[in-house]
Structure formats: C-alpha cells, structure tokens
C-alpha cells in the first residue's frame, strides 16, 4: 500500500485588522475541506496574518484535484478581492497583499512534488490575477533564495517613519523580472513570492528598547549572514511601544532551534545593557503540524 503524501503551505497575508477580509479568506479555504487549516497566527503591530494548511497530495500534485492548491488559490482570490495594498500599514516588511506563500513537504512527499505544486500555483496566480509572481527555493530553476528576491525588491527598507511600511512599497516598474504574470505591479496588489523549501521555523525574541540601531546590530550578529548562528536569518522590527523584536527564520531548525537563538540574543543584548523577553514561535513545529492535521482528520 502506498503511504499518503502530505503537503504543507504557509500563506502570509498583509492584513490582521480587517476582520471582514480575514473572514472572507478563511471562508475561501473552507471550500476545500480536505485542506485543513491547522494554524493561524495574527500580529496586530505587524498587521500581518499567517495561515498554515495541510492536505494529502494526489499522485499528480499539480492537478486540479489537489485540495491544497485549490484552497490556496481561492484564499489568494479572496485576499485580492477584499484588501487594498495601498491602504495597508504595519511594522513588518511586505511586498504585496499576498506577501509570501511557501510550500513544505511532509510525511512521504518529496521536494520535487512540492516544487511542482509551487510552480503550478505561481502560474495560476500570475495569469488569473495579473500579479507579478516570483519563485524561489526548489521551485526556481536556479534555486534562488527568498531573501535575494526581497533584497532586490527593497523589502527590508521601511518607506515611512518609525520603522513602518505604509501603502505600496514596490515600484510599479520592477527591477527584477517575475517568473509569472506581468512585469509591472498594480499599486493595489503588489507582488507575490512563492517558494518550495524544507521545513522552516520562525522564532521572534523581544528586546526591550527603542534603539533600532542597536537592535539591528544584535540581529545582524545573530544571523548567519553576519557571522552568527548558521542557517539563521534575522531582522529587527519595531513591535509596539518600547519593544523591538529580533525576528528569525530558522532554516535548519533541527540543528539551530529557538532555544539557541534565545540564548544568543540574550548574550548580545546583555553586552548592550538591554533586557530581553521570552521568545516565541509563530507556528507549530513540523511534527506537531502533522499531529494537528491527523487530529482534525479523525475528528
């Protein structure tokens, strides 16, 4: 007997305050009940929400019968129908209404299965909604990284005071040619980035300061890019009053997890005379995602 292949998709929407828009997006996901919504993470300060969906994959994941692909496509449709990128503001960088979609293989699925699914979705998103769509990870022919796309599109540079991103933040004429969709970005939609990678954990550590320069220094020293922890990406983001978070992507969480990041941020903050709060994950770990999916399917 063939063992079931599971796919996971994380969908990041640039909105958390418009309840009607989020309700519409979640109704869209429910059109495909075989794709279970196993987690939702909202952040008011960032004005951002992340959805995690899991489903079994058919033998041909790119087919119209794939519930994960169908659910995500309808969520994207609902997001574009209900959110105007020009009216968005928050303290988290973003490139569009649907800022980021990432696929991960679970259980017996392969990276090839997931990459095909990501490419198929990107083609649909680009053509159906006329949105510039960029691929990364194994979904891209050269395996380019998510952060390389973001750097070229100016993702990390706030366009307003107090480390805020307000309204449309990408130029209409893009400096990078998209893989799917038009070469120009509509101000009300922005662009979409879609990728396929092994599992990634997100771990954020609050540092009690308003000094963004110092917080950025800590984030750089934590990251692998800055000579810190391997396979860790980090940035400093304002998070409410008197707090800046060191927000981290853990690209190999089995080797460098949240506990190690926590200790390193505490050490570096202490050198600057700053206090640190307890960090948190924005989603369940991989094994818990599978467990939650199985519980939903059996209840």
């Amino acid at each position: 007997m063939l063992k079931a292949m599971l796919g996971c998709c994380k969908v990041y929407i640039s909105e958390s305050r418009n309840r009607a828009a989020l309700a519409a997006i979640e109704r869209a996901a429910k059109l495909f009940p075989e794709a279970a919504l196993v987690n939702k993470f909202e952040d008011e300060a960032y004005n951002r929400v992340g959805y995690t969906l899991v489903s079994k994959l058919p033998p041909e994941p790119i087919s119209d019968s794939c519930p994960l692909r169908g659910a995500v496509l309808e969520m994207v449709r609902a997001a574009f129908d209900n959110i105007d990128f020009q009216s968005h503001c928050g303290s988290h960088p973003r490139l569009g209404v649907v800022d980021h979609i990432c696929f991960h293989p679970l259980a017996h699925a392969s990276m090839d299965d997931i990459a095909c699914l990501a490419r198929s979705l990107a083609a649909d998103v680009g053509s159906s909604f006329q949105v510039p769509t960029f691929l990364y990870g194994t979904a891209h022919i050269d395996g380019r990284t998510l952060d390389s796309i973001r750097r070229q599109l100016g993702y990390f540079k706030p366009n307003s005071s107090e480390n805020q991103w307000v309204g449309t933040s990408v130029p209409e004429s893009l400096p990078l040619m998209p893989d799917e969709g038009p070469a120009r970005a509509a101000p009300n939609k922005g662009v979409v980035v879609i990728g396929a990678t092994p599992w990634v954990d997100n771990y954020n550590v609050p540092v009690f300061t308003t000094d963004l320069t110092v917080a950025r220094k800590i984030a750089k020293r934590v990251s692998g890019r800055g000579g810190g922890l391997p396979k860790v990406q980090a940035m400093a983001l304002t998070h409410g009053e008197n707090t800046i978070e060191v927000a981290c992507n853990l690209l190999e969480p089995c080797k460098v997890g949240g506990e190690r990041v926590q200790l390193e941020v505490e050490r570096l903050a202490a050198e600057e005379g700053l206090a640190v709060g307890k960090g948190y994950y924005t989603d369940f770990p991989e094994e818990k995602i599978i467990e939650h999916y199985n519980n939903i399917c059996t209840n």
Side-chain angles (χ1 to χ4, degrees), residues 108-166:
H108 303 284
S110 70
M111 280 305 310
D112 285 342
D113 296 324
I114 294 301
C116 288
L117 187 53
R119 287 192 291 268
S120 174
L121 179 72
D124 277 346
V125 169
S127 62
S128 297
F129 309 115
Q130 287 299 292
V131 177
T133 304
F134 298 87
L135 291 167
Y136 76 92
T138 56
H140 186 262
I141 189 170
D142 295 323
R144 68 181 171 191
T145 62
L146 173 61
D147 66 318
S148 70
I149 298 172
R150 286 174 162 175
R151 289 182 191 283
Q152 291 183 75
L153 296 180
Y155 176 88
F156 298 103
K157 297 177 181 178
N159 65 349
S160 185
S161 60
E162 299 181 351
N163 202 33
Q164 295 282 317
W165 283 260
V166 177

Side-chain angles (χ1 to χ4, degrees), residues 43-253:
D43 195 295
E44 181 77 12
Y46 292 154
N47 199 9
R48 182 178 176 89
V49 61
Y51 294 103
T52 304
L53 298 96
V54 176
S55 83
K56 292 181 181 178
L57 299 181
E60 295 294 333
I62 65 172
S63 69
D64 291 339
S65 64
C66 178
L68 188 59
R69 177 176 174 272
V72 174
L73 186 63
E74 290 308 310
M75 291 173 75
V76 171
R77 187 187 311 278
F80 286 138
D81 285 347
N82 290 276
I83 300 169
D84 185 345
F85 193 39
Q86 296 174 104
S87 65
H88 181 270
C89 65
S91 60
H92 195 290
R94 71 285 191 278
L95 293 172
V97 167
V98 183
D99 180 58
H100 178 206
I101 298 172
C102 50
F103 286 92
H104 308 292
L106 300 177
H108 303 284
S110 70
M111 280 305 310
D112 285 342
D113 296 324
I114 294 301
C116 288
L117 187 53
R119 287 192 291 268
S120 174
L121 179 72
D124 277 346
V125 169
S127 62
S128 297
F129 309 115
Q130 287 299 292
V131 177
T133 304
F134 298 87
L135 291 167
Y136 76 92
T138 56
H140 186 262
I141 189 170
D142 295 323
R144 68 181 171 191
T145 62
L146 173 61
D147 66 318
S148 70
I149 298 172
R150 286 174 162 175
R151 289 182 191 283
Q152 291 183 75
L153 296 180
Y155 176 88
F156 298 103
K157 297 177 181 178
N159 65 349
S160 185
S161 60
E162 299 181 351
N163 202 33
Q164 295 282 317
W165 283 260
V166 177
T168 303
S169 57
V170 293
E172 185 178 350
S173 182
L174 298 167
L176 184 65
M177 183 62 65
D179 298 284
E180 301 287 351
R184 300 179 74 86
N188 64 325
K189 294 179 181 178
V191 307
V192 181
V193 182
I194 300 177
T197 72
W199 188 262
V200 175
D201 275 340
N202 304 110
Y203 189 79
N204 298 345
V205 184
V207 180
F208 302 124
T209 183
T210 58
D211 191 333
L212 192 56
T213 299
V214 172
R216 283 174 173 163
K217 176 182 174 183
I218 292 170
K220 182 176 181 180
R221 293 180 65 191
V222 167
S223 71
R225 183 182 177 89
L229 300 176
K231 297 297 183 178
V232 172
Q233 299 171 334
M235 58 183 171
L237 300 173
T238 300
H239 196 257
E241 295 184 4
N242 304 317
T243 302
I244 297 174
E245 285 192 340
V246 176
C248 301
N249 294 332
L250 314 183
L251 304 185
E252 292 188 8

Side-chain angles (χ1 to χ4, degrees), residues 248-265:
C248 301
N249 294 332
L250 314 183
L251 304 185
E252 292 188 8
C254 60
K255 295 182 179 179
V256 180
E259 290 184 5
R260 189 170 171 191
V261 169
Q262 179 77 35
L263 291 173
E264 187 65 4
V265 173

